């Protein structure tokens, strides 16, 4: 079975302002907490399909982290995205067998506002045309809230597509085949469980390779639904 999209990461200058603005745009936003050992706090916009948007902000300069460097160099907006493997070690091993040799799983954690500590493991490779993998150690329901928090006044129900900007579409598609298997790429589109990834060539982009836009599914046709980039903090959000 294909992997599912886990989440899309949006770096912002002020977490409180971003939370308020996304609420104004019709999203339900939940405080996420702080990451121990990092200068970051986050908030989550979780959808009915289980995927979510992560708003993340820094309390101090963190030049060792790419997300902070992109935020400093190119401003607020999309910086990364993650897939949810059923077994992160097996997924990394399969990718290495197909030629993507640099995947190694490392631990991560977050302390929620209610004091609950959650833990996961993530696996990344060196370039950013591909997503990273994120697998839970504690139950996923602790990391990704369930219930009414997944209902949004604007009708959004999930992430249907991620547009990814890359230097070389053919080369990146080959790398997706290594990460996910050849069956995941069909007619130039990467097929996930309930979501697709479309690659677009973009040279000399200030944000570098990575997600450039997202498309949300909605519960019913909503004529005129548009998302102001001023409220989404630079994120291009489409609907279908």
């Amino acid at each position: 079975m294909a992997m599912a999209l886990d989440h899309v990461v949006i770096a912002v200058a002020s977490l409180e302002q971003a939370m308020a603005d996304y609420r104004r745009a019709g999203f339900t936003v939940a405080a996420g907490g702080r990451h121990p050992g990092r200068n970051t706090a986050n908030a989550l916009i979780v959808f009915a399909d289980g995927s979510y948007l992560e708003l993340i902000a820094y309390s101090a300069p963190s030049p060792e982290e790419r997300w902070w460097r992109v935020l400093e160099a190119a401003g607020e907006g999309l910086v990364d995205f993650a897939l949810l493997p059923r077994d992160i070690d097996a997924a990394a091993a399969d990718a290495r067998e197909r030629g993507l040799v640099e995947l190694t799983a490392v631990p991560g954690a977050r302390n929620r506002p209610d004091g609950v500590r959650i833990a996961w493991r993530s696996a990344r490779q060196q370039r950013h045309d591909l997503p990273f993998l994120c697998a839970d150690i504690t139950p996923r329901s602790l990391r990704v809230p369930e219930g009414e928090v997944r209902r949004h006044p604007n009708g959004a129900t999930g992430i249907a597509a991620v547009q990814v900007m890359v230097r070389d579409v053919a080369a990146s598609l080959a790398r997706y085949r290594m990460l996910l298997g050849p069956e995941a790429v069909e007619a130039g589109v990467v097929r996930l469980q309930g979501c697709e990834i479309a690659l677009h060539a973009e040279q000399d982009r200030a944000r570098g390779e990575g997600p450039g836009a997202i498309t949300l599914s909605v519960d019913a046709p909503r004529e005129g639904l548009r998302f102001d980039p001023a409220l989404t903090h630079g994120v291009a959000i489409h609907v279908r």
Side-chain angles (χ1 to χ4, degrees):
M1 181 181 291
M3 284 191 210
L5 178 70
D6 189 71
H7 67 282
V8 176
V9 184
I10 302 166
V12 299
S14 165
L15 187 60
E16 293 74 17
Q17 185 63 56
M19 292 173 69
D21 288 340
Y22 270 85
R23 286 176 179 135
R24 288 176 59 198
F27 294 99
T28 301
V29 186
R34 296 189 174 277
H35 304 95
R38 299 175 64 195
N39 299 316
T40 51
N42 73 354
L44 281 62
I45 299 168
V46 187
F47 301 109
D49 69 356
S51 66
Y52 66 93
L53 304 179
E54 177 185 13
L55 307 175
I56 190 165
Y58 288 83
S59 59
S62 301
E64 72 282 1
E65 295 197 15
R66 174 181 170 269
W67 297 351
W68 181 86
R69 295 195 302 271
V70 174
L71 178 63
E72 284 293 292
E76 298 178 300
L78 297 167
V79 290
D80 218 336
F81 66 119
L83 306 186
L84 180 67
R86 299 180 70 178
D87 182 326
I88 193 168
D89 292 318
D94 289 345
R96 284 194 294 269
E97 287 186 4
R98 291 189 289 261
L100 195 66
V101 298
E102 65 264 37
L103 280 175
T104 303
V106 297
R110 171 160 52 91
N111 295 324
R112 296 192 331 191
D114 60 3
V116 173
R117 185 182 179 94
I118 59 177
W120 62 84
R121 297 170 70 215
S122 60
R124 303 173 180 274
Q125 38 72 58
Q126 295 303 308
R127 282 179 52 189
H128 304 285
D129 55 337
L130 299 184
F132 64 98
L133 307 182
C134 183
D136 294 283
I137 296 174
T138 50
R140 190 172 191 267
S141 60
L142 297 181
R143 177 171 65 92
V144 187
E146 298 179 345
E148 285 299 307
V149 72
R150 297 190 178 195
R151 295 174 60 88
H152 304 279
N154 60 29
T157 59
I159 302 175
V162 180
Q163 180 188 92
V164 180
M165 312 309 291
V166 301
R167 290 194 294 267
D168 184 321
V169 171
S172 289
L173 285 173
R175 285 164 49 75
Y176 273 92
R177 293 185 185 95
M178 287 188 282
L179 176 65
L180 300 173
E183 68 282 356
V185 178
E186 179 183 341
V189 176
V190 181
R191 307 291 181 183
L192 303 176
Q193 183 181 329
C195 179
E196 65 182 34
I197 300 171
L199 306 187
H200 298 265
E202 181 75 21
Q203 300 296 324
D204 301 322
R205 180 170 175 256
R207 308 190 75 82
E209 292 186 300
I214 59 174
T215 300
L216 301 181
S217 55
V218 294
D219 55 7
R222 292 177 178 248
E223 187 174 349
L225 178 61
R226 300 289 185 273
F227 293 101
D228 183 350
L231 294 182
T232 64
H233 290 245
V235 179
I237 300 179
H238 311 292
V239 296
R240 70 164 59 159

